[in-house]
Short mmCIF file of all heavy atoms in Angstrom, two decimals:
data_model
loop_
_atom_site.label_atom_id
_atom_site.label_comp_id
_atom_site.label_asym_id
_atom_site.label_seq_id
_atom_site.Cartn_x
_atom_site.Cartn_y
_atom_site.Cartn_z
N ARG A 96 48.33 30.57 22.78
CA ARG A 96 48.87 31.54 21.81
C ARG A 96 47.85 31.87 20.71
O ARG A 96 47.91 32.98 20.14
CB ARG A 96 50.15 30.99 21.19
CG ARG A 96 51.20 30.56 22.21
CD ARG A 96 51.76 31.71 23.02
NE ARG A 96 52.67 31.24 24.06
CZ ARG A 96 53.96 31.02 23.89
NH1 ARG A 96 54.52 31.19 22.71
NH2 ARG A 96 54.68 30.57 24.91
N PHE A 97 46.97 30.92 20.43
CA PHE A 97 45.96 31.14 19.40
C PHE A 97 44.68 31.68 19.98
O PHE A 97 44.05 32.55 19.38
CB PHE A 97 45.69 29.82 18.66
CG PHE A 97 46.92 29.19 18.07
CD1 PHE A 97 47.64 28.25 18.78
CD2 PHE A 97 47.34 29.54 16.80
CE1 PHE A 97 48.78 27.65 18.24
CE2 PHE A 97 48.48 28.96 16.27
CZ PHE A 97 49.22 28.03 16.96
N SER A 98 44.26 31.18 21.13
CA SER A 98 42.99 31.60 21.73
C SER A 98 43.12 32.94 22.46
O SER A 98 42.10 33.57 22.72
CB SER A 98 42.53 30.55 22.72
OG SER A 98 43.38 30.48 23.88
N ARG A 99 44.38 33.35 22.77
CA ARG A 99 44.68 34.57 23.56
C ARG A 99 44.10 34.47 24.98
O ARG A 99 43.83 35.49 25.63
CB ARG A 99 44.16 35.82 22.87
CG ARG A 99 44.56 35.95 21.39
CD ARG A 99 46.01 35.76 21.15
NE ARG A 99 46.87 36.72 21.88
CZ ARG A 99 48.14 36.48 22.20
NH1 ARG A 99 48.72 35.34 21.91
NH2 ARG A 99 48.83 37.39 22.86
N ARG A 100 43.92 33.27 25.48
CA ARG A 100 43.47 33.01 26.85
C ARG A 100 44.61 32.38 27.61
O ARG A 100 44.96 31.23 27.39
CB ARG A 100 42.23 32.11 26.83
CG ARG A 100 41.72 31.71 28.20
CD ARG A 100 40.46 30.89 28.04
NE ARG A 100 40.03 30.26 29.27
CZ ARG A 100 38.97 29.52 29.43
NH1 ARG A 100 38.16 29.29 28.38
NH2 ARG A 100 38.67 28.97 30.58
N LYS A 101 45.18 33.09 28.53
CA LYS A 101 46.39 32.63 29.19
C LYS A 101 46.17 31.32 29.95
O LYS A 101 45.20 31.16 30.66
CB LYS A 101 46.95 33.70 30.14
CG LYS A 101 48.37 33.45 30.59
CD LYS A 101 48.99 34.67 31.22
CE LYS A 101 50.49 34.45 31.52
NZ LYS A 101 51.09 35.61 32.14
N HIS A 102 47.10 30.37 29.77
CA HIS A 102 47.02 29.04 30.38
C HIS A 102 45.75 28.32 29.98
O HIS A 102 45.18 27.61 30.76
CB HIS A 102 47.14 29.14 31.90
CG HIS A 102 48.36 29.82 32.40
ND1 HIS A 102 49.63 29.36 32.09
CD2 HIS A 102 48.54 30.91 33.18
CE1 HIS A 102 50.53 30.17 32.67
NE2 HIS A 102 49.89 31.13 33.32
N ASP A 103 45.34 28.52 28.75
CA ASP A 103 44.09 27.89 28.25
C ASP A 103 44.14 26.37 28.44
O ASP A 103 45.01 25.72 27.91
CB ASP A 103 43.91 28.25 26.80
CG ASP A 103 42.51 27.98 26.28
OD1 ASP A 103 41.78 27.17 26.93
OD2 ASP A 103 42.14 28.55 25.25
N PRO A 104 43.17 25.81 29.19
CA PRO A 104 43.25 24.36 29.44
C PRO A 104 42.39 23.54 28.45
O PRO A 104 42.36 22.33 28.50
CB PRO A 104 42.63 24.24 30.82
CG PRO A 104 41.58 25.29 30.87
CD PRO A 104 42.16 26.45 30.03
N ARG A 105 41.68 24.22 27.57
CA ARG A 105 40.69 23.52 26.71
C ARG A 105 41.35 22.65 25.63
O ARG A 105 42.58 22.73 25.43
CB ARG A 105 39.76 24.58 26.06
CG ARG A 105 38.94 25.35 27.07
CD ARG A 105 38.19 26.50 26.40
NE ARG A 105 39.09 27.49 25.86
CZ ARG A 105 38.71 28.59 25.21
NH1 ARG A 105 37.39 28.80 25.02
NH2 ARG A 105 39.61 29.44 24.75
N PHE A 106 40.56 21.82 25.00
CA PHE A 106 41.07 20.98 23.93
C PHE A 106 41.81 21.85 22.91
O PHE A 106 41.26 22.83 22.43
CB PHE A 106 39.91 20.23 23.24
CG PHE A 106 40.34 19.29 22.18
CD1 PHE A 106 40.87 18.08 22.48
CD2 PHE A 106 40.21 19.67 20.83
CE1 PHE A 106 41.28 17.19 21.50
CE2 PHE A 106 40.60 18.79 19.82
CZ PHE A 106 41.14 17.55 20.16
N PRO A 107 43.04 21.52 22.59
CA PRO A 107 43.88 22.44 21.78
C PRO A 107 43.61 22.37 20.28
O PRO A 107 44.50 22.09 19.48
CB PRO A 107 45.32 21.97 22.12
CG PRO A 107 45.15 20.51 22.37
CD PRO A 107 43.80 20.35 23.04
N GLU A 108 42.38 22.68 19.87
CA GLU A 108 42.02 22.52 18.48
C GLU A 108 42.82 23.41 17.56
O GLU A 108 43.27 22.97 16.49
CB GLU A 108 40.51 22.84 18.30
CG GLU A 108 40.03 22.65 16.90
CD GLU A 108 38.53 22.82 16.72
OE1 GLU A 108 37.82 22.73 17.77
OE2 GLU A 108 38.06 23.01 15.60
N GLN A 109 43.02 24.69 17.98
CA GLN A 109 43.76 25.59 17.08
C GLN A 109 45.24 25.20 17.01
O GLN A 109 45.88 25.29 15.93
CB GLN A 109 43.61 27.02 17.57
CG GLN A 109 42.22 27.56 17.49
CD GLN A 109 42.11 28.96 18.01
OE1 GLN A 109 42.40 29.93 17.26
NE2 GLN A 109 41.70 29.12 19.26
N ALA A 110 45.81 24.75 18.14
CA ALA A 110 47.19 24.30 18.12
C ALA A 110 47.34 23.03 17.25
O ALA A 110 48.34 22.89 16.53
CB ALA A 110 47.66 24.03 19.55
N ILE A 111 46.35 22.13 17.33
CA ILE A 111 46.41 20.94 16.52
C ILE A 111 46.33 21.30 15.04
O ILE A 111 47.10 20.76 14.20
CB ILE A 111 45.23 19.99 16.90
CG1 ILE A 111 45.46 19.38 18.27
CG2 ILE A 111 45.10 18.87 15.84
CD1 ILE A 111 44.26 18.62 18.82
N ARG A 112 45.43 22.21 14.68
CA ARG A 112 45.30 22.60 13.28
C ARG A 112 46.64 23.18 12.75
O ARG A 112 47.03 22.89 11.65
CB ARG A 112 44.18 23.59 13.08
CG ARG A 112 42.79 23.00 13.28
CD ARG A 112 41.69 23.93 12.81
NE ARG A 112 40.38 23.40 13.16
CZ ARG A 112 39.74 22.45 12.46
NH1 ARG A 112 40.34 21.94 11.40
NH2 ARG A 112 38.54 22.06 12.82
N PHE A 113 47.26 24.04 13.58
CA PHE A 113 48.54 24.59 13.14
C PHE A 113 49.58 23.48 12.94
O PHE A 113 50.27 23.43 11.91
CB PHE A 113 49.08 25.59 14.13
CG PHE A 113 50.58 25.72 14.05
CD1 PHE A 113 51.17 26.32 12.98
CD2 PHE A 113 51.39 25.12 15.03
CE1 PHE A 113 52.56 26.35 12.87
CE2 PHE A 113 52.77 25.16 14.92
CZ PHE A 113 53.35 25.78 13.83
N CYS A 114 49.69 22.58 13.94
CA CYS A 114 50.70 21.53 13.89
C CYS A 114 50.51 20.66 12.66
O CYS A 114 51.46 20.24 11.98
CB CYS A 114 50.67 20.69 15.16
SG CYS A 114 51.34 21.56 16.60
N LEU A 115 49.25 20.30 12.36
CA LEU A 115 49.00 19.47 11.17
C LEU A 115 49.26 20.24 9.91
O LEU A 115 49.87 19.67 8.96
CB LEU A 115 47.54 19.00 11.21
CG LEU A 115 47.18 18.01 12.33
CD1 LEU A 115 45.69 17.72 12.34
CD2 LEU A 115 47.96 16.71 12.18
N ASP A 116 48.89 21.48 9.84
CA ASP A 116 49.14 22.29 8.63
C ASP A 116 50.64 22.41 8.39
O ASP A 116 51.12 22.35 7.25
CB ASP A 116 48.53 23.69 8.78
CG ASP A 116 47.01 23.68 8.69
OD1 ASP A 116 46.47 22.65 8.24
OD2 ASP A 116 46.39 24.67 9.07
N GLN A 117 51.41 22.60 9.47
CA GLN A 117 52.86 22.73 9.35
C GLN A 117 53.47 21.48 8.75
O GLN A 117 54.45 21.55 7.98
CB GLN A 117 53.46 23.03 10.70
CG GLN A 117 54.97 23.32 10.70
CD GLN A 117 55.30 24.68 10.08
OE1 GLN A 117 54.52 25.60 10.13
NE2 GLN A 117 56.49 24.80 9.47
N ALA A 118 52.87 20.34 9.09
CA ALA A 118 53.41 19.03 8.59
C ALA A 118 52.74 18.62 7.29
O ALA A 118 53.15 17.59 6.71
CB ALA A 118 53.13 17.96 9.67
N GLY A 119 51.75 19.40 6.81
CA GLY A 119 51.06 19.04 5.59
C GLY A 119 50.18 17.81 5.74
O GLY A 119 50.02 17.01 4.79
N LEU A 120 49.58 17.67 6.91
CA LEU A 120 48.77 16.47 7.24
C LEU A 120 47.34 16.84 7.62
O LEU A 120 47.06 17.99 7.96
CB LEU A 120 49.42 15.72 8.43
CG LEU A 120 50.85 15.23 8.27
CD1 LEU A 120 51.36 14.71 9.61
CD2 LEU A 120 50.94 14.14 7.20
N SER A 121 46.49 15.85 7.60
CA SER A 121 45.14 15.96 8.16
C SER A 121 45.04 14.94 9.29
O SER A 121 45.91 14.11 9.51
CB SER A 121 44.10 15.65 7.08
OG SER A 121 44.16 14.28 6.69
#
């Protein structure tokens, strides 16, 4: 959803950053 590459298999760095930001964590 972040990379705009369908079925992206790579390390989910952008998804991790969102999830941590949503929780207010590092």
Side-chain angles (χ1 to χ4, degrees):
R96 306 295 174 86
F97 304 93
S98 69
R99 310 310 300 154
R100 176 176 169 179
K101 196 166 186 180
H102 303 301
D103 194 340
R105 296 172 296 179
F106 183 77
E108 181 174 344
Q109 295 180 82
I111 291 171
R112 290 192 187 281
F113 155 71
C114 287
L115 292 174
D116 288 347
Q117 186 71 29
L120 301 171
S121 67

